[in-house]
Structure formats: C-alpha cells, structure tokens
Amino acid sequence: MKAKVWFGSVIGGTLLVLAAFAGYIITIDPFFHYHEPVEGLAYTLDNSRYQNDGIVKNFRYDTLITGTSMISNFKTTECDILFGGTSVKTPFHGGSFKEVNDNLQAAVSANPQLRTVIRCLDQGNFTQDKDYISYEGVPYYLYDNNPFNDTEYVLNKTVFMLTDDILIDTSEGKKMTTFDEYMNWQGDYEFGKEAVLATYTRPEQSTYEGTLSEGEKERTLANIRQNVTGVAIENPDITFYYYFPPYSVCYWDVSVMRPGKLDWYVELQALVIEEILTCDNILLFSYDDNTELTCNLDYYQDQIHYSEEINSRILHWMKEGKGRLTKENYEAYLKRLHDFYGAYDYDSIYK
C-alpha cells in the first residue's frame, strides 16, 4: 500500500512539475504558437522558421512582407508609411516557393484583415518541384493543429531557456526586436566589387545553347500555379505585390551567360511572367533592366543579395508603379534583358 502511495505521489509530483514547466512556456510563448506577444516583454525575433508561423497566425496586421533573404532588409515602418496599415515580415532564408507559400496560406487562413502581400519571387526557384522544401529540420509540430505533438515545444529545455531570456532581457530594460531588425543582415556583410568577387569562382564558358525542355516547362508551371498564383486566385480581395529580385550583373555572367543559357533564361522568364499576369490582383514588378542598379556592385554583397538601400527603393518603386510588368510591356522588357546582358562586356568586371 505504501509503495502504491509513494508511486502515486511521484507520478503526481512529476505531472505537476511538467504542467508548471509547460504552463511557463505557454504563458510567455517565445515562438508565438498560442498567442501574440505579452505586452511589455522583450521578445527576441531571430529564428524565422520557429517564429514565422506564430507571427502570421497571432499578430495583428493587414500587410505581409514575405519571401527569402531578399526581403529581410525591408523595414516595416517604411512599408507602413508608404502602403498604409500595419505590416509584419516573415523571411525564409534559402526558402523554396512552397515553404513561403505555405506560410502565406497560413496567414490568409488566420487573418481575415490581410489586404496586401509583398513578396519576392527568386528567379533561381522557378524550376523547382512544386513540393520542394529546401530547409531540413522544419519544426512542423509548430505548424500543424495537432495539440499532442506540442510537447516538443512546451517540454523543451531549449525553449525553457529562451523563455527565461525574455524575462531577463525585460528586467534589464531591453525591448522586443522590431520587424525592421528581424532577420536583417545588412550589418553582417561587406559590399562592393571586391566583396562580391570573393564569393565565387568564374566558371568556364559553355557551348550550350538550349531552350526550355517540356519537362522544365511543366515543372515550372506546376510550381507557379501551386505556390504563386493559386493563393491570389483564391483571394481576389487581397492585392499581391510580387517582384523579381534584381540580381547583379555577376549573376548574369556566372549563371546565365557562362553556361550559355541566355535564351533559356529569357524563355523561362516569359513563361513565368505570362502565367502570373493571368491574375488581375497580382501586380508584378521587375528591376533586372535597371542596369544602373544591377551593374553597380557597390549595392551587392554577393551575386544576388543587395543592400537595404535597394529594399527601400523597391518599396517606393512598387508603390509608384515603377517597373511593373504588364501584358502590354513584358515582351519589350524581355528584349531589353536579352539585348543588354547578351552584349555586355563581362570580362571588364574582372579587370
């Protein structure tokens, strides 16, 4: 009898400790899985794949800025001034179209106030399989509606320590990370020609002169329809500002011209543009033909990543309608790309 009482006491005591442990994490909720931030607490935003789902489901906003690292340097304060309303930002560094779209779909489902979406469409992701996820270790237990696997969150030692850190930071007078700061990498890199050229080795010139295969066309259209246009078609009351990030001239050299894929690349762009322009509530923008930008390596830290100054310009340009692609002008835009980058003196970059 005493053994049973002792065993029951141990089990009961253990359950009480676990309940207190879980309750502590749920109350503070560092990943916003259950609720929005507790007012006055100094939450640190620095782990996008653990926090983005909670942000779109539990924060208050009507504008969402989302995409890959190309959107990380956007400032929501600037977006709010230009577009009105209240914005949040959910970057997925190295993310695929599906990963970004899944987060966007979660935002649409959770927030009936959502009216504007600003999203980059990385050209390097066009031909991905529609279900491709580039990041390993996605914490799906935070994304689904299964309460039983929440134990991975509420009984997690690392999360417990993060919760402690929030209270410690608050006691020291620190403030919650702003969305201007969230995943912003501007201060982590050097910019300019020397910095860019140090990030890669120029490949040998290829004699390839192919065009898109039927398989590439089918895969690209499936990707775009599932992960780009589908959400716009289903939500006609939301305006989607989509843009192609302006890659530097070095990208054109290394990934387009040296492999002999200029015609292939322009054909791919045409396929994607034509599909996206079927949606009236998508405003599509591109700045690859802004050669004063793409040929000035002072704006870049590698072949594709531009400074936050360019993020700011893109916000202004989109709001003003500059660089918008339409059914009437996209062919002329593609011709400009083909003519300029096809004739550019790439060897001059390396002198």
Side-chain angles (χ1 to χ4, degrees), residues 27 46 64 82 87-88 133 159 178 191 194 215 229-230 260 273 294 296 302 306 330 336 338:
T27 299
D46 63 356
L64 174 65
L82 289 170
S87 59
V88 296
I133 297 293
V159 177
T178 68
F191 291 77
E194 183 177 342
T229 58
I273 291 169
T294 60
N296 186 346
D302 61 17
Y306 41 81
Y330 83 91
R336 289 195 299 274
H338 191 281

Side-chain angles (χ1 to χ4, degrees), residues 59-75:
F59 280 51
R60 302 177 188 181
Y61 61 96
D62 52 37
T63 299
L64 174 65
I65 303 173
T66 191
T68 62
S69 54
M70 297 297 178
I71 63 101
S72 291
N73 295 341
F74 279 131
K75 294 185 176 180

Side-chain angles (χ1 to χ4, degrees), residues 28-82:
I28 307 300
D29 200 8
F31 296 157
F32 320 114
H33 185 54
Y34 299 102
H35 55 76
E36 64 184 334
V38 176
E39 187 175 355
L41 294 187
Y43 291 85
T44 297
L45 302 182
D46 63 356
N47 199 329
S48 62
R49 285 181 169 87
Y50 284 82
Q51 294 176 312
N52 282 348
D53 186 71
I55 287 171
V56 298
K57 288 178 179 177
N58 292 312
F59 280 51
R60 302 177 188 181
Y61 61 96
D62 52 37
T63 299
L64 174 65
I65 303 173
T66 191
T68 62
S69 54
M70 297 297 178
I71 63 101
S72 291
N73 295 341
F74 279 131
K75 294 185 176 180
T76 56
T77 53
E78 185 173 26
C79 179
D80 295 348
I81 292 171
L82 289 170

Side-chain angles (χ1 to χ4, degrees), residues 62-348:
D62 52 37
T63 299
L64 174 65
I65 303 173
T66 191
T68 62
S69 54
M70 297 297 178
I71 63 101
S72 291
N73 295 341
F74 279 131
K75 294 185 176 180
T76 56
T77 53
E78 185 173 26
C79 179
D80 295 348
I81 292 171
L82 289 170
F83 289 84
T86 302
S87 59
V88 296
K89 182 173 69 178
T90 56
F92 292 87
H93 289 190
S96 66
F97 276 7
K98 176 174 172 53
E99 186 175 20
V100 174
N101 185 65
D102 285 349
N103 182 253
L104 176 52
Q105 292 280 12
V108 170
S109 298
N111 184 6
Q113 305 305 316
L114 182 60
R115 289 293 174 265
T116 304
V117 173
I118 297 171
R119 176 184 176 184
C120 68
L121 299 175
D122 300 63
Q123 296 96 308
N125 292 353
F126 288 166
T127 59
Q128 288 176 343
D129 182 88
K130 63 183 178 65
D131 295 319
Y132 174 68
I133 297 293
S134 57
Y135 180 82
E136 295 184 2
V138 175
Y140 288 114
Y141 59 87
L142 292 173
Y143 297 8
D144 61 27
N145 295 316
N146 179 5
F148 297 104
N149 62 15
D150 283 1
T151 54
E152 295 188 54
Y153 176 50
V154 300
L155 298 180
N156 187 306
K157 179 181 177 181
T158 300
V159 177
F160 187 89
M161 290 188 292
L162 290 174
T163 305
D164 277 347
D165 288 341
I166 292 171
L167 296 184
I168 292 170
D169 288 346
T170 303
S171 69
E172 293 176 351
K174 297 179 181 179
K175 302 296 182 182
M176 178 175 171
T177 306
T178 68
F179 280 107
D180 286 0
E181 300 165 322
Y182 180 36
M183 302 300 290
N184 186 306
W185 47 260
Q186 172 73 21
D188 298 333
Y189 297 94
E190 297 293 328
F191 291 77
K193 179 177 178 178
E194 183 177 342
V196 172
L197 296 186
T199 63
Y200 70 92
T201 299
R202 193 183 191 198
E204 295 295 323
Q205 179 67 54
S206 171
T207 58
Y208 176 81
E209 293 183 356
T211 56
L212 280 176
S213 68
E214 288 304 311
E216 289 170 327
K217 291 179 182 178
E218 292 175 4
R219 187 166 63 250
T220 298
L221 287 176
N223 188 23
I224 297 301
R225 288 168 180 167
Q226 173 179 287
N227 299 315
V228 177
T229 58
V231 66
I233 293 170
E234 295 167 359
N235 297 278
D237 294 333
I238 298 175
T239 300
F240 296 83
Y241 288 79
Y242 286 165
Y243 77 96
F244 301 153
Y247 293 166
S248 81
V249 68
C250 291
Y251 173 87
W252 284 86
D253 180 37
V254 172
S255 298
V256 181
M257 298 306 298
R258 301 298 284 183
K261 299 180 75 171
L262 178 60
D263 290 340
W264 181 94
Y265 190 74
V266 171
E267 184 181 0
L268 175 63
Q269 290 243 348
L271 181 70
V272 171
I273 291 169
E274 289 166 4
E275 186 65 28
I276 292 175
L277 291 181
T278 62
C279 299
D280 292 337
N281 57 328
I282 294 179
L283 307 182
L284 180 63
F285 299 82
S286 183
Y287 305 102
D288 281 332
D289 61 339
N290 184 337
T291 55
E292 291 184 1
L293 163 59
T294 60
C295 295
N296 186 346
L297 297 183
D298 288 342
Y299 292 125
Y300 293 86
Q301 60 96 350
D302 61 17
Q303 298 172 50
I304 62 176
H305 289 93
Y306 41 81
S307 68
E308 67 179 13
E309 178 182 345
I310 303 307
N311 287 92
S312 176
R313 291 189 190 183
I314 289 172
L315 281 179
H316 282 82
W317 288 336
M318 288 194 295
K319 181 59 179 177
E320 296 164 5
K322 293 181 179 179
R324 184 179 174 188
L325 299 178
T326 67
K327 294 176 182 178
E328 292 73 32
N329 70 15
Y330 83 91
E331 290 181 332
Y333 158 79
L334 292 173
K335 186 177 187 305
R336 289 195 299 274
L337 296 187
H338 191 281
D339 291 350
F340 180 84
Y341 292 107
Y344 191 82
D345 179 12
Y346 292 97
D347 291 340
S348 66

